[in-house]
């Protein structure tokens, strides 16, 4: 095997080790824990800006709507919890106190 071929083989093996190590250190995604909206109505925003609060009203959720939020894993900023709306299957932010009934469905 010539020197160029050996160098290529060594570099390819090293690259696979680096890529494998990088993938092993990443945490698996945490699926949302089933919950429901417990407020009569709750505004559901597209994003949260730390300087101005929630932005981009998507829609209003109502008591009993099925959502998801994993306490301790998904972020909560100043009482606004990252929440998954199972209706249209999208993420947004809703007031944390409007989340309840965890594991109820």
């Amino acid at each position: 095997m010539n020197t160029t071929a050996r160098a290529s083989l060594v570099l390819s093996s090293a690259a696979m080790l680096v890529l494998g190590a990088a993938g092993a250190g990443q945490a698996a995604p945490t699926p949302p824990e089933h919950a429901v909206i417990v407020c009569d109505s709750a505004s559901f925003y597209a994003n949260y800006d730390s300087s101005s609060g929630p932005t981009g009203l998507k829609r209003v959720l109502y008591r009993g709507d099925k959502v998801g939020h994993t306490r301790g894993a998904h972020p909560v900023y100043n009482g606004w919890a990252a929440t998954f709306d199972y209706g249209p299957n999208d993420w947004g932010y809703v007031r944390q106190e409007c989340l309840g009934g965890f594991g109820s469905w």
Side-chain angles (χ1 to χ4, degrees), residues 26-103:
Q26 295 175 349
T30 303
E33 182 182 355
H34 288 171
V36 294
I37 297 295
V38 295
C39 296
D40 289 335
S41 64
S43 298
F44 187 67
Y45 289 91
N47 208 343
Y48 184 85
D49 182 302
S50 61
S51 64
S52 60
T55 60
L57 179 65
K58 287 185 165 190
R59 64 188 152 276
V60 175
L61 301 176
Y62 296 96
R63 182 179 299 276
D65 283 349
K66 293 179 177 180
V67 296
H69 172 81
T70 300
R71 298 167 284 186
H74 296 141
V76 177
Y77 305 110
N78 294 320
W80 291 92
T83 304
F84 187 77
D85 182 359
Y86 282 98
N89 293 325
D90 60 353
W91 285 93
Y93 289 85
V94 71
R95 289 296 304 169
Q96 184 176 13
E97 62 266 18
C98 290
L99 299 174
F102 286 91

Side-chain angles (χ1 to χ4, degrees), residues 6-25:
R6 278 192 199 132
S8 178
L9 181 61
V10 169
L11 287 175
S12 296
S13 298
M16 285 191 284
L17 287 173
V18 169
L19 289 174

